[in-house]
Amino acid sequence: MALMDLLLILILAGFLGFELISRVPSQLHTPLMSGANAISGITVVGAILASGAGENTLTVILGTAAIIFATLNVVGGYLVTDRMLRMFTKKKQEK
């Protein structure tokens, strides 16, 4: 696939993602974040496979960058979800 086609797909995906996130009500952010974490997990596996193939240097560099960014997304998603769940737990009453 030509580089311009891939760039067009990246731009359209970014635009679609921005529109989707901006229109989701705040009550649905946690389930959406869980879905995004699952997709990022799949991205990590695909990036490991791509960078492990080692066909050329560019593939290894892009695969390694994808592993790093997808891992940051997964870890950040879990940290935000944990913080949100702690916000909804009842605090223990002190005696």
Side-chain angles (χ1 to χ4, degrees):
M1 195 176 276
L3 181 63
M4 291 303 292
D5 291 341
L6 293 174
L7 189 61
L8 179 65
I9 290 171
L10 178 67
I11 291 170
L12 289 176
F15 178 73
L16 181 64
F18 178 77
E19 288 294 318
L20 179 69
I21 295 297
S22 65
R23 294 175 192 242
V24 170
S26 60
Q27 294 88 357
L28 295 178
H29 274 264
T30 300
L32 183 63
M33 193 176 306
S34 299
N37 279 345
I39 292 171
S40 291
I42 294 170
T43 303
V44 169
V45 172
I48 289 171
L49 292 174
S51 64
E55 292 184 15
N56 57 32
T57 306
L58 182 62
T59 305
V60 173
I61 291 171
L62 290 177
T64 305
I67 291 169
I68 292 169
F69 289 126
T71 302
L72 287 173
N73 191 23
V74 169
V75 171
Y78 279 120
L79 290 175
V80 170
T81 302
D82 182 54
R83 182 172 182 244
M84 290 178 73
L85 289 175
R86 275 190 276 141
M87 289 172 58
F88 293 111
T89 58
K90 293 182 179 180
K91 295 180 180 176
K92 294 179 181 176
Q93 293 184 0
E94 296 180 16
K95 294 181 181 179

